[in-house]
Every structure is written in C-alpha cells, then in structure tokens.
Amino acid sequence: MQLCNQNLNQLPATVQRPHYERSKVAPAIVHLGVGAFHRAHQAMYTEAVLASGDLAWGIVGAGIVSSNMKAALQPQDGLYTLATMGPAGNQLQVIGAILEVLGGEDDDGQLLDIMRAPSTRIVSLTVTEKGYYLDPASGKLQLQAPAIQADLATPTTPRTILGLIVQALKHRKANNIAPFTVLSCDNLANNGKRAKAAVLAYAAKLDGDLAHWIEANATFPCTMVDRITPATTDAERSYLAALGLDDAWPVVTEEFVQWVIEDDFTLGRPDWTIGGAFFSDEIETWEAMKLRCLNGAHSTLAYMGQLCGQETVDAAMATPLIAKLLDALWAEVLEVLHAPKGVDANAYVDSLKQRFRNPSLKHRTQQIAMDGSQKLPVRLLGTLRDRIARGLRSPALTTAVAAWMHYVVKTAATPEATLNDPMSAELLALVRGETVDARIVDRLLSVEKIFGTDLPRDTLFRAEVLAGFAWLADEPGVSTAPAVRP
Ligand code: CS2
C-alpha cells in the first residue's frame, strides 16, 4: 500500500501517524536541503508542534542539487516513515510536516516565489559544510567557486543557497516585506554566524544597500543539531514493505535526538520545545561539545574504519585498536573543552560510546568519510589549536589527521578513483606520483584552505602528524597504500 494522504487510515496499527488535518496546515518554513537528516530532526520536531494543534508551521522542502527527494515524496503527498532503531526496539512514525517537495533547477522559479512570499517566515538549511561556499580554514566566501561566479553573473536565476536567499531577500526589501529568519542546521561551529557571513559577502558583491539591509534586519540564529541518521538503504524499504507500507524513501535514525537553538527569529517561530528542543544563549559551547566530541570521533572512526576494513561505525567501535585511539582522542578533547553549564562532558562522551555501538544503524564509515576537507577544520583542528595554545601534545588527534591523510593517499593509489570531497581533484593531484613518506604529509599539510598557515608552521604539530602517519603505516591491522602510482 503506497504511503499517501488517502491511505493514512489504513496503516498498520503500530505505525504512528498525523492526526491533525494536513489540509489546514499553513506553509511557513522553507527548508533547503531536504535529506534524511532534516526529516529525522527538524521535521520531526515540527511534527510535534503540528500535533499539538498549532498548524501555522508547515514545511516546504527543496532539494538543491537534485530532484530525487521530490520524485520520491511528491507521490506520497510529502509523507514518509521515520524508523527509530534502538535497544527498546523499532518505532515507526509517519511524518506529515513536509507539505510539498520541490527539487532541482526546474523548480527554482517556484521556490523563489515561495521564499519571497510574506507567508515564509523561516528558511532553514541542511546543505552540509560545502553548501556555504566558505573557505574551511578562514571562513571567507569562496568568491572564485564556479557556482558562486555563476550566480553572481546571473543573480536572478540563482542555483546556490546563497543566491536563492539573497535574491528572495532582495524582493522582500523592495516590497517592504520583513526578512525571513535564516536557520542553519548544519554541523558547523557558529553555523548561524557562518551562514550570515556567507550571505552578506555574497550580497555585498551584488548590492551594498541590500547587504546592509540584510545585516540590519535579518537574523541567523545558531543551532546545535544532533541525531545520527545514516543514508537509507533498500533494507529499510524492504523492511517497511514487509509490514505492508510502501515508502519510496523512509528515514532510519537512532533514538537520541537533540536540538539547541538560539532564540532570535524575525517573524516568530514554532514552539519546538513541544518536541523536546530547547532555546539557549550558550550555543557556542553546545556546538563545540557536539562537533568536537561526536563529530570529531565520527570522522576518526570513519578514516580508521576505512583503513582497517571496517564498513560500519559499530564494527569500527568493536576494533580494539580504534577504540583505544578514540579513548585517547576523547581525553585530549575533554581536557580543553568548555562544556555548557550543568553538562557533564564525561557522561556525554560515555553516551556517545553507546550511540556509536548501536548495531541496528549500520552507519557506513564511507559515508562519514566524505568531505574530509570541510570536516577536519571544524571537528579536529579547533581542538588541536586550543591544545597547541596551551602547550599540550596531541598524539591521538594528530593520528586522526594522519588517518585522513592515509585515506587520501590510499584513494589516490587506485587510478581513476576520486574522493567524495569538493577538494578531491586538488588533494589527489598533490599526492599522486609521490612516494609515501614525510613529503606526502607536508604536501597535504600545505593545503591552506584546510590547515591554515599556522598549523604547518608548528614544528611540534608537524612532528606529531608525521609520527601518527608512520605509526599507522607500520601497524599490522591498518592497511595503508604502500606506494602511490602517478
Ligand atoms: C556524521 C554526522 O556524516 C557525518 O559526518 O558525523 O552526520 C553525524 O551523524 C551527525 O552530526 C549526528 O548528529
């Protein structure tokens, strides 16, 4: 039975479903980057608001790069199943918060019209680190990026999120419509500030007055988002089909979920506390704790898992060599971490161990390994800088950096192979043709967009990365590339 409005009453009894009248829900949020994470997180929180009777906050989702989500969800009237897999068993909930899904270039005109409309009060984002076109190390807008150049050349038909937001805000300014709130839900330190910096830098290139107006009137609250949500596989589709539920794109996630939001909205916001979110002035510390403890460990598990032949996070966690490295890494992170008030960071790390060991999730190390150039700076290098400033050595964190290097080198050893990373070509060109020794480490360390200029110059840091790199190359359980062919 296909999931759609008409069939909602015929779902298996164990499946939770919307009991509010979906036809009465008003769209007020546009979400750019409607993937698995948004559907397991913000849309679920919004579902709780709708279920409480406040129908003012429906979501229009848009896929920026592709129309795949539209193709899957539009025949289902935007409905999808959220499968929560945990020790207490699996729970299924059909979410109705996403009213419509747009996708790809063909829908850009319609998307812009909706973003311009006064009814749109929030534009939220999960577009990953690279979607902001910011230099990972310096945080500056990558003005030379082809997509940014293309949008600046034809600003009325934008394709990037920056182009879309600025074009919509331009219309709102001209028509005396207050700006929407731009709500970043990506894993970036100071994600709201980063989104603001990117939008303002882009706007300034087009129209200085508009940039000033945005700066003075729009808000970009920071958020800390958390829920481990692996890419959906056919296994989940078949699992649901066996229960009599045909869902083209369900979402599988863990029980744990957290959302901490800075309360700074131009045109109101849903009471997401109904779903368990909370508002805080301490976002920076929440974000730092999550990025450094969870995501930093995740990236380490990903590269180490890839080098040790472990395909999933739970399998990597069960590998003694990796578990030991992670414990050392967490100790280094905790030593320089400022936890939010009232939070026991040690207990937080303990809870992460449980979450990473979840055998039902099958979170692929390869998935987390993508976009290393964008992730390393926010997840690992911030802690490293803090430790360097305090004169502390960091053998575990630098080994994690070295694991990423080996992962790049190993990928380069296969002709034609590419990294799933916006800097793939640049990184592979740096290492292809080199013998695997200290020179390769120096070449990768010289990538300023990732390591800045301070880290490569720090002789102790360099020596520790080299030591980690050599240790991994010699360790029997770790498979690194012996040589890189041109
Ligand atoms: C992961 C995150 O893919 C990745 O890089 O580290 O998506 C992680 O699962 C989430 O941030 C958890 O909240």
Side-chain angles (χ1 to χ4, degrees), residues 296 300 304 321-333 380 383-384 387 393-404 464-465 468-469 471-472:
T300 308
M304 288 299 294
L321 177 89
I322 303 181
K324 202 166 152 219
L325 175 65
L326 265 195
D327 280 337
L329 182 129
W330 274 318
E332 290 175 10
V333 171
L380 298 171
T383 307
L384 271 160
R387 291 182 63 84
R393 310 294 303 262
S394 311
L397 283 156
T398 47
T399 300
V401 172
W404 168 75
E464 285 197 306
V465 177
F469 193 81
W471 175 71
L472 288 169

Side-chain angles (χ1 to χ4, degrees), residues 299-370:
S299 290
T300 308
L301 281 163
Y303 300 119
M304 288 299 294
Q306 285 289 302
L307 298 176
C308 297
Q310 302 301 347
E311 301 281 326
T312 60
V313 169
D314 62 316
M317 281 297 285
T319 306
L321 177 89
I322 303 181
K324 202 166 152 219
L325 175 65
L326 265 195
D327 280 337
L329 182 129
W330 274 318
E332 290 175 10
V333 171
L334 290 175
E335 203 176 356
V336 293
L337 187 81
H338 300 287
K341 270 187 237 84
V343 175
D344 175 350
N346 285 295
Y348 179 75
V349 164
D350 283 341
S351 71
L352 294 180
K353 292 182 190 167
Q354 296 311 316
R355 292 170 64 193
F356 290 173
R357 287 188 191 122
N358 186 342
S360 321
L361 281 184
K362 299 290 165 241
H363 199 183
R364 306 195 77 72
T365 49
Q366 196 177 27
Q367 187 191 341
I368 303 170
M370 72 189 264

Side-chain angles (χ1 to χ4, degrees), residues 37 187 225-229 290 294-295 298 363 367-368 375 379:
F37 182 76
N187 275 320
V225 296
D226 191 7
R227 193 168 215 188
I228 296 174
T229 309
K290 194 259 172 171
L294 188 155
N295 297 109
H298 241 182
H363 199 183
Q367 187 191 341
I368 303 170
K375 291 175 175 175
R379 297 176 175 207

